[in-house]
Amino acid sequence: IEGNCRQVYYQAFEHIIEDFPMNGRVKQPPSNEVNALISFGNSLCYTLSLDTIYHTQLNPTISFLHEPGARRYSLALDLAEIFKPILVDRTIFIVFNQKILKASDFEQKLNGCFLKNSARQTFIKYYEERLKETVQHRSLGKKVSYKQLVRLDCYKLSNYILGMETEYKPFKI
C-alpha cells in the first residue's frame, strides 16, 4: 500500500518541478535528473536514519514496515519513509525550481543519469541546511530542528516498544 501511495505521490512531481520531467520513478540506474536526485537524497535520509537509530536502544534490523533484508537495515528504511517527503523531496523542489541545479549538473553514463560531484556537494549543502531548519514541536512546546525530529521519533518508537507509551505515532507535519 505504501509503495502504491508513493507512486501516486511521485506523479505530482510533474506539477511541482519546473523544467525537469520525471516520467515515473526509475531507480537502478536513475533514468533522469529527478530520479537521480531522489535516489541520492533518499540515500542521505537513510544514512541519517541509521545513524540516529545507532544513538538509541533500537535494533536497526527489526522493522515494522519493510521486510528485513540481508544487506540492509530495514528499520532505517521505515524511519526514512517518514522524513523523505519533508527532507529530501522539499530539497529537490528547491534546487530545481530555484535553478540551483541545472541539466549540466548531471551526466548520462552506464544507461543512467547521475549527479556530477559538484552537484552532489551542492545538494548536500541544501539538504544539511534543511536539517538545521527548526519547527515548533507541538508536544514539547519549543522549536526543534528537523534533524532533532528524527531522533525524537526514534525515542517515541523506543518508548512504545519498552511499554512506556501506549501508542506510537510517527512524526506528522
Side-chain angles (χ1 to χ4, degrees), residues 43 47 58 76 106:
S43 70
T47 301
L58 296 170
F106 298 84

Side-chain angles (χ1 to χ4, degrees), residues 98-141:
Q98 293 182 7
K99 314 263 188 261
I100 296 161
L101 292 182
K102 300 168 185 57
S104 60
D105 291 309
F106 298 84
E107 57 188 345
Q108 295 287 334
K109 62 180 182 181
L110 304 172
N111 295 324
C113 183
F114 300 92
L115 285 94
K116 292 180 179 176
N117 190 47
S118 59
R120 279 193 301 271
Q121 296 306 316
T122 300
F123 186 82
I124 289 170
K125 174 186 165 209
Y126 281 87
Y127 177 78
E128 287 178 350
E129 286 177 12
R130 182 74 177 163
L131 289 176
K132 292 175 187 173
E133 285 180 33
T134 60
V135 292
Q136 185 71 22
H137 194 283
R138 289 183 194 126
S139 57
L140 294 178

Side-chain angles (χ1 to χ4, degrees), residues 79 82-83 149-157 168 170-171:
L79 187 61
I82 299 166
F83 292 97
L149 285 174
V150 177
R151 172 96 35 114
L152 290 171
D153 224 59
C154 282
Y155 290 149
K156 283 193 294 188
L157 181 58
Y168 167 66
F171 174 75

Side-chain angles (χ1 to χ4, degrees), residues 38-118:
I38 290 171
S39 293
F40 183 64
N42 286 353
S43 70
L44 293 175
C45 192
Y46 172 77
T47 301
L48 169 67
S49 298
L50 183 58
D51 179 63
T52 305
I53 289 167
Y54 280 137
H55 289 90
T56 68
Q57 300 174 19
L58 296 170
N59 182 333
T61 63
I62 300 172
S63 58
F64 53 91
L65 182 61
H66 289 86
E67 286 287 324
R71 297 180 303 156
R72 65 181 186 183
Y73 296 106
S74 50
L75 183 58
L77 293 172
D78 291 354
L79 187 61
E81 288 299 328
I82 299 166
F83 292 97
K84 285 190 297 190
I86 301 162
L87 301 175
V88 177
D89 299 347
R90 292 210 181 156
T91 304
I92 290 171
F93 302 154
I94 288 168
V95 298
F96 277 141
N97 290 338
Q98 293 182 7
K99 314 263 188 261
I100 296 161
L101 292 182
K102 300 168 185 57
S104 60
D105 291 309
F106 298 84
E107 57 188 345
Q108 295 287 334
K109 62 180 182 181
L110 304 172
N111 295 324
C113 183
F114 300 92
L115 285 94
K116 292 180 179 176
N117 190 47
S118 59

